[in-house]
Amino acid sequence: MGLDSKAQAPPTDVGDGLKAPRPSRPNYNKLHAQPLPVKAHPLPPLIPHNPLSLLHIAFTYLSHIIFPPSSHPASPLRAYFSADTRSIHVTDEETARILWQKGFFGKGSLSRSEPAWLERERIRQGIVLGDTSEEITRKRREERKQFKNERARKEREAIEDQLVEEATSGPTDRSEGIGHIQPCIASDAAQSMCVEDISSWGLHSIPIRVYPEHNLSIETEEPIAGSLPEVASEVSDHQIPTKNVINQEHLQLTVEEAFFLVYALGVLEVQDPLTSQIIPTSSLFSICRSYSYFPPQPSSSLAPDDPFLLSYVVYHHFRSLGWVVRPGIKFGVDHLLYNRGPVFTHAEFAVIVLPSYTDAYWSSAAELQAIVNKKGKKSWWWLHCVNRVQAQVKKTLVVAYVEVPPPISDHEGVINETGNVVDIGRFLERYRVRELILKRWALNRNKD
C-alpha cells in the first residue's frame, strides 16, 4: 500500500472516546517535483486549433538560442571520497537537501533513509514542534500493532468463552455419540483447563487450554492519568531547549550514485579529502573500480567484470529508464526500484545483478571457462531463497544479466598505459543488460 501524501490517515485515540487527527504530512509532490537535480526546458506544446501556439513555440525557441537557460545548479555540488567507508560523503546541508529532494540520492548517516537527524534533535530538545517522517512511521506502526493485538485478544476471548460454554453445558444425548463432559480447571501455576477422559467414546483425551478469567486482560502502554504531570516534569528537567544545534549528520552516497551524478549528470564534484583537489572523472572511475574489491586492487589488474562495473551498468540502465534506484541490502538484493520515490510508494521491483559470459572469448580457453563457472553460476537453492524473501515483502524479483565483454586492448584508445580508462563512454557502451522477471508460483494463488 503506497504512502500517498494526500491520503487521510485514521484518527488516533486520545482518551474519553475522542479522536484526534494526525498531523498533516509535508507536500511531497511539491518537495520532490523534480526527478533529478537538473532542470529541463522543453518547448511549449503545439495546439492545432490555436495558431498562437506556433508563435509561442517560436518565441521560446529563439529565446533559448539567444539566452540559453542553464539546466545545472548555479554552483557545483561538492562531496569527498571516503576510503574507510568506500562511499562518497556530502557534508554541506544545502547539497544534501538538493540531492535527496531531487532524485532521492544517498541516505543520512544517522537516519534510516532521509537525513533527518537535525530535525529530530530539535524536536527532542523542544526547539521546534512536530514530528519527523520517521517518528510518524513509528507511531503508525505502533497503532497498527496495538490494533492487531486488540483484535487477537477479542478473538481469543471469543474462543475461550465458547470452550467454557461447551464444557459447562451439561450432559447431552449419548445416542448422538457425545458423552458427558466434566471440566477440570488446573492450578493457577498451570493456568489451563482440561477435559475428563472420554476413552469410552473411542477417542483419546483432548486437552483444551484456556486462560483464567483474571488473566484475559492485556496491559496497555498508555500511562495513568495521575502520572502524566510527573513524566512531563522529568522531560522538562532533562530536555532543556537550546538555540544552536550542530548538525552531526552527513549524506552518504554509494559509489554508483556518486558516479552517476558525476559522469551522467555532471552536477557533482568529488574531492580528495587529503588535498581538497577535485578528482577527475576518469580517476574517480578507476577509484570506484579499485575499491569494489577487498583489499583494493591496482588499476592494471582490474577485470571487465569487477563488482562496480556490473552494479553501475545496471544502476545507470534503470536510472535512464526513469526509475528511482535505491540500495536493496535489507532485502538481500542489489537494487530496489521505485516508481517515484520511497515517500510515495513502496519499491515495486527488487533487482539481482548477475554476470553473463556469452561472448566467445570466455569459452576460448579452459582457464577462462573455469573462471566463468566460478563467477557466473548460482544454485537453485540460492535463487529460491531470494525469490521467497521478495514474495514475502510483495516485490517482484528482477534478474539483471550483464553481458560482460572481453578485455579491451591498449591500442583501441580507450585505456592508457597505466590501465586507466580514458574514454568512459566507449568503455561502457560495450555492456548490455538483459532483464528476467521471476515470480514465485504458489498453488493457492495460481490454480488457473
Side-chain angles (χ1 to χ4, degrees), residues 336-383:
L336 294 177
L337 302 183
Y338 294 85
N339 186 17
R340 296 182 61 189
V343 302
F344 297 104
T345 57
H346 293 288
E348 299 182 21
F349 299 96
V351 182
I352 284 285
V353 180
L354 292 179
S356 178
Y357 302 91
T358 57
D359 193 273
Y361 168 81
W362 301 106
S363 59
S364 59
E367 297 179 356
L368 296 176
Q369 292 181 0
I371 296 176
V372 169
N373 294 333
K374 182 179 180 181
K375 292 184 177 181
K377 290 186 177 181
K378 298 287 187 179
S379 64
W380 279 103
W381 292 102
W382 168 84
L383 182 60

Side-chain angles (χ1 to χ4, degrees), residues 36-332:
L36 292 173
V38 292
K39 184 181 295 185
H41 301 277
L43 294 176
L46 174 63
I47 303 176
H49 60 273
N50 187 4
L52 294 178
S53 63
L54 294 175
L55 298 178
H56 189 196
I57 294 175
F59 175 77
T60 305
Y61 180 74
L62 292 176
S63 62
H64 286 182
I65 294 178
I66 299 175
F67 304 101
S70 177
S71 59
H72 288 61
S75 58
L77 308 179
R78 298 291 178 87
Y80 70 91
F81 176 76
S82 174
D84 298 330
T85 60
R86 303 190 179 194
S87 60
I88 312 299
H89 293 181
V90 179
T91 56
D92 181 63
E93 296 183 13
E94 181 64 19
T95 302
R97 184 190 62 81
I98 292 175
L99 293 179
W100 174 257
Q101 292 185 357
K102 301 178 181 180
F104 300 97
F105 292 94
K107 69 171 293 293
S109 59
L110 300 177
S111 304
R112 294 181 56 192
S113 182
E114 179 183 1
W117 179 88
L118 181 61
E119 184 180 359
R120 294 198 310 270
E121 186 66 17
R122 287 175 176 174
I123 293 175
R124 187 186 68 84
Q125 296 187 11
I127 300 176
V128 295
L129 300 177
D131 294 328
T132 62
S133 57
E134 295 180 350
E135 191 68 18
I136 295 174
T137 302
R138 186 190 64 82
K139 291 182 179 180
R140 187 184 303 115
R141 290 176 177 174
E142 288 294 332
E143 294 173 3
R144 200 155 45 220
K145 181 180 178 181
Q146 292 179 5
F147 170 76
K148 292 181 179 179
N149 291 339
E150 183 68 16
R151 182 178 58 185
R153 183 183 67 84
K154 292 181 179 180
E155 292 177 355
R156 186 170 63 250
E157 287 181 353
I159 295 175
E160 293 168 356
D161 293 342
Q162 182 180 359
L163 293 176
V164 173
E165 182 180 356
E166 292 177 355
T168 59
S169 60
T172 57
D173 189 4
R174 283 182 177 270
S175 61
E176 297 180 359
I178 301 178
H180 178 66
I181 301 177
Q182 296 180 356
C184 170
I185 301 179
S187 61
D188 294 340
Q191 292 186 356
S192 62
M193 178 178 290
C194 60
V195 178
E196 289 293 332
D197 185 22
I198 54 175
S199 59
S200 59
W201 307 347
L203 301 174
H204 297 286
S205 177
I206 304 175
I208 303 176
R209 289 188 174 271
V210 299
Y211 294 92
E213 187 175 358
H214 61 275
N215 286 334
L216 292 179
S217 61
I218 295 179
E219 296 181 359
T220 60
E221 297 181 358
E222 298 179 359
I224 303 175
S227 62
L228 288 177
E230 298 179 0
V231 176
S233 62
E234 293 179 1
V235 174
S236 61
D237 292 339
H238 292 82
Q239 298 179 359
I240 301 175
T242 57
K243 295 183 179 180
N244 297 324
V245 179
I246 300 177
N247 191 5
Q248 302 180 10
E249 185 179 33
H250 63 268
L251 187 72
Q252 188 172 356
L253 300 172
T254 63
V255 288
E256 293 84 5
E257 293 174 329
F259 191 76
F260 180 81
L261 293 170
V262 173
Y263 168 71
L265 300 182
V267 297
L268 183 68
E269 294 180 351
V270 180
Q271 298 177 340
D272 189 341
L274 300 179
T275 61
S276 299
Q277 298 294 326
I278 298 176
I279 303 176
T281 305
S282 58
S283 300
L284 180 63
F285 186 64
S286 300
I287 291 175
C288 294
R289 294 181 62 190
S290 300
Y291 278 87
S292 63
Y293 295 92
F294 184 81
Q297 300 294 324
S299 301
S300 58
S301 61
L302 297 178
D305 59 346
D306 60 60
F308 170 76
L309 274 179
L310 300 180
S311 180
Y312 177 75
V313 167
V314 175
Y315 182 90
H316 191 117
H317 169 73
F318 286 110
R319 272 287 185 179
S320 301
L321 295 177
W323 291 97
V324 175
V325 186
R326 300 284 297 164
I329 186 173
K330 63 180 178 180
F331 295 117

